[in-house]
Amino acid sequence: LKTVSAAGSRRSAPIVLDEDEKADPFTPHVVVRLAGLKAAADLNGKFALILRFLPEKGRYEVGLHPGGEKKAVQLGNMELLPSYEEVSVLRDRLGHPGVSAAVVRPALRRLDELNMSAEVLAETKVGKIVNEVGRTFAGVDDIAELAKRLVWRWRDMFRQAQAQEQAQLAAPAQVRAKPTPAAKAPAAAQVAPAPATRSSSSSSAPPPRGSRPAAPAVAAAPAAAAPVAAPAVARAAA
């Protein structure tokens, strides 16, 4: 939403230049399911391809699938399909024997618009059908080029999805499952150390009655030196 304020006014209301409009999902080439029809209740649940909007009638012109019969229906009588169902219908239209270029072109254009996923590609196998269509219409430049571009894009998408899946499977177990704090701590830290025991020599228990206390340890006396005569005795002898 783009806005602009009037010149010379600080608090004037914004002037709207244009408004964002939601994209209309009911555009040509979209596959829908008919529902809620009363006059033609037998068509409820049938698939149809939107061809164009009829402004003079306020209705949409659709082509039934299969068969291609044209009908004019109101917006409230159409339901959008999940991606898997719509791709399946487009695949069947492209794979019909003797399919014409008038059917191939809108089907390929719609496939080009869809946000395809690797799961839908694997389940519907639409890539194989589009590849065959490209070979069948190799002489029609626009069809062959569009088919080739779709196949290359889907092939790259599928390979990337496979590579991601293989990378996840190859991841080590310790990366996928984080260990708990108890598991991270070493085993020695989880066991409380046993209290140290005192030796018998350092025990403070009193000695038994009647026993003499042990004499304290005495350091060994140094070796005795040679005797020296006192000076007084030596003078008397002289």
Side-chain angles (χ1 to χ4, degrees):
L1 180 64
K2 298 180 180 179
T3 61
V4 59
S5 298
S9 177
R10 294 182 179 179
R11 298 183 180 179
S12 58
I15 300 174
V16 179
L17 296 181
D18 59 352
E19 296 182 357
D20 295 335
E21 296 182 358
K22 294 183 179 180
D24 183 11
F26 297 94
T27 57
H29 317 317
V30 174
V31 182
V32 297
R33 180 186 289 109
L34 301 181
L37 295 171
K38 297 180 180 180
D42 58 313
L43 297 179
N44 290 329
K46 299 287 186 180
F47 296 121
L49 190 73
I50 297 178
L51 303 177
R52 58 174 178 160
F53 178 67
L54 305 173
E56 66 278 5
K57 296 182 179 181
R59 294 171 178 261
Y60 289 82
E61 185 179 53
V62 300
L64 298 181
H65 170 80
E69 183 181 359
K70 295 181 180 180
K71 298 289 183 179
V73 298
Q74 297 179 0
L75 178 62
N77 297 124
M78 297 186 300
E79 296 177 349
L80 295 175
L81 300 179
S83 179
Y84 172 80
E85 284 191 75
E86 186 170 7
V87 172
S88 299
V89 173
L90 295 172
R91 175 205 59 197
D92 295 343
R93 290 177 65 84
L94 292 172
H96 192 273
V99 63
S100 64
V103 174
V104 169
R105 281 191 182 92
L108 291 179
R109 289 171 183 168
R110 179 55 182 165
L111 289 173
D112 191 25
E113 297 172 354
L114 289 173
N115 292 326
M116 196 70 65
S117 66
E119 290 78 11
V120 173
L121 287 175
E123 293 177 3
T124 61
K125 295 180 173 54
V126 66
K128 179 180 180 181
I129 301 299
V130 171
N131 191 33
E132 294 176 356
V133 168
R135 294 177 180 177
T136 302
F137 291 87
V140 184
D141 294 341
D142 61 328
I143 293 180
E145 182 64 25
L146 180 54
K148 184 188 300 183
R149 186 170 72 247
L150 287 173
V151 170
W152 284 356
R153 187 174 72 195
W154 294 342
R155 186 177 298 167
D156 292 342
M157 179 194 306
F158 194 73
R159 288 175 178 174
Q160 291 178 5
Q162 283 186 327
Q164 292 178 357
E165 183 178 357
Q166 292 176 359
Q168 293 177 356
L169 294 176
Q174 58 267 27
V175 174
R176 294 198 302 268
K178 294 183 179 180
T180 60
K184 289 183 178 179
Q190 300 179 21
V191 180
T197 57
R198 295 183 180 180
S199 61
S200 58
S201 61
S202 60
S203 174
S204 60
R209 288 186 178 182
S211 62
R212 295 181 180 180
V218 180
V228 178
V233 178
R235 284 196 299 269

